[in-house]
Amino acid sequence: MEEVTTLDRLPVGHRAAVAGLSAPEDQQRRLLELGFVPGGEILAVQESPWGDPVAYAVCGAVIALRRADARRIAVRQK
């Protein structure tokens, strides 16, 4: 069974699928526009030298998110 966690805990080089969003409506809309849709695949690509933000590959693009924002995205690790 796949473990559900938050995106900020996904190690670099690992993949996950979006399980849900727990953000205010305006932030949810923006995350959806960026490609963080339920069932969508995410790859943690690179962490900044200070650990924040982290770059994620999603829908053919690389998006950098602060850990506070990534914490609002529930994922199932693959």
Side-chain angles (χ1 to χ4, degrees):
M1 188 169 174
E2 296 173 329
E3 177 186 345
V4 176
T5 186
T6 54
L7 185 57
D8 64 307
R9 294 175 173 245
L10 185 67
V12 170
H14 289 226
R15 295 182 184 277
V18 175
L21 304 174
S22 64
E25 189 176 332
D26 59 329
Q27 285 183 330
Q28 280 190 26
R29 190 172 316 127
R30 183 65 179 140
L31 290 169
L32 290 167
E33 289 170 355
L34 290 171
F36 295 95
V37 296
E41 187 173 290
I42 300 170
L43 169 66
V45 177
Q46 183 179 0
E47 187 176 76
S48 75
W50 297 276
D52 197 18
V54 177
Y56 300 98
V58 58
C59 292
V62 177
I63 308 293
L65 286 181
R66 294 182 307 235
R67 287 193 181 272
D69 294 328
R71 199 171 293 123
R72 297 179 178 274
I73 302 171
V75 296
R76 285 189 172 81
Q77 292 189 357
K78 293 187 169 192

